[in-house]
């Protein structure tokens, strides 16, 4: 089976790769959001701590 | 060896433990995902009726099972938080909701892309599909309700009630293919066994396991931020090295 045949999925390529592509994309977005959330939470905590120390 | 499990029900201890556990779930999840994809695309044979289109099953079925399973776990944690007033259980419920919504979305999306070539329609208002769509709305409702209430403890309680009442939808999804005449096929995996080819079964179970491990890893990562946010006025949070630096 050639790579072109493999990706064609016997005519169902759009449906098969559309399924896996979007699934992986949203999982990737979720991972990025969770990491971003941690970064901003830690930044927020440091800012609050620094604001507290100045008083 | 006696392990004091209750120790880890406190956010203080759980924060550190969760951080250590994440790679132990994330790495096997990634490896099993690749193994599952390999078996699903290179070992499992072409289906006699559905040709290559059936390969959507390896993401569709695990995502659908997990969307229901995560909901029950979420409702369970929410109920624990409501009954015993345990902070960490409520935080776990909050952390599970976005991932549950994500898997409900993947289930519906892959279902639409599978329905079009096989049934001739992206969407039909049948019992299985409609109840799964309601599941997505329940997740989104839970998230929206919690984020609309300022006080976290009140948000926990309101969310818990919604989660518990909504859990009635899960058996409806599961049994919908039996209770009603639907376009959706019956259960692929039955308690009495399955008619699937062995490589197809393997790929599906490995993908299910990979997705489940991913859910645990990403939930632990998310709950750590929730713990930090809710405990930000405590001594232990301010003494953490990631906060002090």
């Amino acid at each position: 089976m050639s790579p072109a045949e493999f990706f064609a999925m016997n005519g169902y390529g759009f449906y098969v790769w559309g399924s896996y592509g979007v699934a992986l994309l949203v999982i990737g977005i979720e991972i990025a959001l969770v990491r971003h959330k941690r970064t901003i939470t830690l930044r927020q905590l440091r800012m609050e701590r620094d604001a507290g120390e100045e008083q | 060896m006696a392990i004091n499990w209750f120790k880890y029900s406190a956010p203080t201890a759980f924060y550190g433990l969760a951080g250590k556990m994440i790679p132990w779930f994330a790495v096997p999840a990634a490896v099993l995902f690749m193994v599952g994809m390999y078996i699903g695309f290179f070992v499992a044979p072409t289906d006699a009726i559905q040709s290559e289109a059936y390969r959507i099953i390896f993401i569709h079925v695990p995502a659908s099972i997990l969307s229901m399973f995560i909901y029950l776990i979420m409702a369970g944690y929410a109920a624990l938080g409501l009954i015993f007033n345990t902070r960490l259980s409520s935080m776990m419920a909050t952390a599970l909701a976005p991932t549950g919504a994500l898997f409900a979305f993947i289930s519906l999306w892959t279902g639409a892309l599978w329905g079009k070539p096989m049934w001739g329609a992206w969407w039909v208002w049948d019992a299985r599909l409609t109840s799964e769509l309601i599941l997505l709305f329940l997740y989104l409702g839970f998230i929206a309700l919690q984020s609309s209430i300022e006080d976290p403890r009140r948000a926990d309680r309101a969310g818990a009630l919604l989660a518990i009442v909504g859990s009635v939808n899960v058996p409806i999804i599961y049994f919908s293919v039996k209770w009603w005449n639907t376009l959706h096929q019956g259960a692929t995996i039955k308690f009495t066994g399955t008619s699937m080819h062995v490589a197809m079964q393997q790929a599906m179970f490995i993908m299910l396991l990979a997705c489940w491990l991913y859910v645990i890893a990403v939930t632990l990562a998310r709950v750590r931020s929730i713990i930090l946010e809710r405990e930000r006025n405590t001594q232990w949070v301010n003494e953490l090295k990631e906060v002090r630096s």
Side-chain angles (χ1 to χ4, degrees), chain B residues 154-171:
Chain B
R154 289 190 63 185
D156 285 344
R157 283 197 293 273
L161 286 174
L162 175 66
I164 293 162
V165 173
S167 59
V168 72
N169 187 43
V170 174

Side-chain angles (χ1 to χ4, degrees), chain B residues 26-207:
Chain B
V27 175
V31 172
L32 285 174
F33 190 90
M34 286 187 277
V35 172
M37 290 291 277
Y38 176 79
I39 297 174
F41 279 91
F42 295 103
V43 181
T46 303
D47 187 74
I49 301 161
Q50 301 204 4
S51 178
E52 308 297 340
Y54 93 92
R55 293 188 199 274
I56 296 172
I57 202 172
F58 304 124
I59 185 74
H60 178 72
V61 169
S64 308
I65 292 174
L66 282 175
S67 69
M68 293 187 273
F69 193 55
I70 294 169
Y71 193 91
L72 293 179
I73 307 276
M74 181 185 91
Y77 270 123
L80 276 180
L82 193 65
I83 297 162
F84 299 108
N85 216 12
T86 41
R87 286 172 300 162
L88 185 60
S89 341
S90 302
M91 294 183 206
M92 283 300 287
T94 307
L96 278 162
T99 306
L102 180 110
F103 278 96
F105 168 77
I106 294 176
S107 164
L108 292 165
W109 178 268
T110 56
L113 280 169
W114 198 359
K116 185 64 184 170
M118 290 302 131
W119 303 339
W122 301 104
W123 180 263
V124 283
W125 290 102
D126 95 351
R128 177 49 80 76
L129 281 69
T130 308
S131 52
E132 180 73 23
L133 182 66
I134 291 171
L135 184 73
L136 176 62
F137 290 157
L138 281 169
Y139 279 122
L140 298 178
F142 178 86
I143 296 166
L145 180 64
Q146 285 214 316
S147 58
S148 69
I149 302 173
E150 195 92 22
D151 175 22
R153 305 307 295 272
R154 289 190 63 185
D156 285 344
R157 283 197 293 273
L161 286 174
L162 175 66
I164 293 162
V165 173
S167 59
V168 72
N169 187 43
V170 174
I172 294 178
I173 304 171
Y174 187 79
F175 292 110
S176 59
V177 284
K178 269 191 182 169
W179 292 346
W180 292 284
N181 273 321
T182 85
L183 202 51
H184 197 284
Q185 67 182 74
T188 310
I189 311 291
K190 298 185 189 73
F191 294 112
T192 49
T194 169
S195 56
M196 276 174 94
H197 187 279
V198 68
M200 296 182 190
Q201 285 179 54
Q202 283 172 351
M204 206 165 76
F205 280 113
I206 292 170
M207 288 291 279

Side-chain angles (χ1 to χ4, degrees), chain A residues 10 20 30 37 46 49, chain B residues 51 55 99 214 222 243:
Chain A
N10 202 16
Y20 285 93
E30 183 183 38
K37 170 87 176 153
R46 287 190 210 109
R49 180 210 54 199
Chain B
S51 178
R55 293 188 199 274
T99 306
Y214 166 76
R222 190 181 284 116
V243 177

Side-chain angles (χ1 to χ4, degrees), chain A residues 25-38:
Chain A
L25 177 74
V26 290
I27 287 172
I29 292 172
E30 183 183 38
I31 294 171
L33 285 175
V34 166
R35 287 190 166 176
H36 179 67
K37 170 87 176 153
R38 177 162 172 85

